[in-house]
Amino acid sequence: MRWLLVLLSLTLGSVAYAADSEELAEQAHEMVKRTTEKVMASIHKNRAIYESDQARFFWELEDVLGPMVDFQRLTRRIMGNYYREATLEQRKRFASAFKRSLLSSYATGLLEFNDYEVRVLPPKVGVENTLRNTLVDLEVVTPGGHVFPLTQSMYFHHRDRRWMAQNVIVNGINVGKLFGEQFEQMVQENDGNIGVAIEDWIESLQEQGRKLRKKAPGV
């Protein structure tokens, strides 16, 4: 779970409209490169303030990543059929907690390891890319030499006229599907009570965050 949360945020961003499959792939790949560089620069610039002002640290990171992730779409994907049953307030609470946990896990992971290398692989030949789903393949290499393959799924948000992240596959694991299965299990364990399941989900995310922060290096 920890690595999924850390890696989920590596390749999110926006680009202009593109007309055909090949152009979609080219622009999406270029967007991933630019966004990754921007995020890494933000982490590096604000590393020194992590201990003294964590709120500011995460605000800075959210300024870069927050507008680029469709958290509402991710929330619908994870909550599945329970999304319609949940109240608006429950949906907002779920999305807000997931967003905070995602940003916190990502930032803490990068602070723990200084020398991530992110490789954006060339577009695959013969793969159809559409406005509903354009894929970008990457490799994330840790300082210890471990390689994590990622496939980022993006779609074009027509109202906002930009590309937004909707899911990611990490090391063969579909993150949206995995989280969805975990949330469904929590609902079942709580006899269908969505409100209680959401609180359990939030507590689980917060516990993961506490464990990550304990491992973060002093700066």
Side-chain angles (χ1 to χ4, degrees), residues 148-165:
F148 293 87
L150 293 88
T151 298
Q152 177 68 53
S153 171
M154 297 169 290
Y155 82 103
F156 188 79
H157 196 298
H158 290 280
R159 184 185 63 197
D160 293 345
R161 306 299 295 173
R162 65 185 183 187
W163 288 93
M164 300 188 76

Side-chain angles (χ1 to χ4, degrees), residues 127-174:
V127 175
E128 181 181 4
N129 296 291
T130 68
L131 294 176
R132 290 186 176 183
N133 188 33
T134 291
L135 302 178
V136 178
D137 292 322
L138 305 97
E139 291 179 341
V140 179
V141 185
T142 71
H146 295 91
V147 178
F148 293 87
L150 293 88
T151 298
Q152 177 68 53
S153 171
M154 297 169 290
Y155 82 103
F156 188 79
H157 196 298
H158 290 280
R159 184 185 63 197
D160 293 345
R161 306 299 295 173
R162 65 185 183 187
W163 288 93
M164 300 188 76
Q166 61 182 349
N167 198 16
V168 66
I169 298 174
V170 180
N171 225 13
I173 299 174
N174 186 313

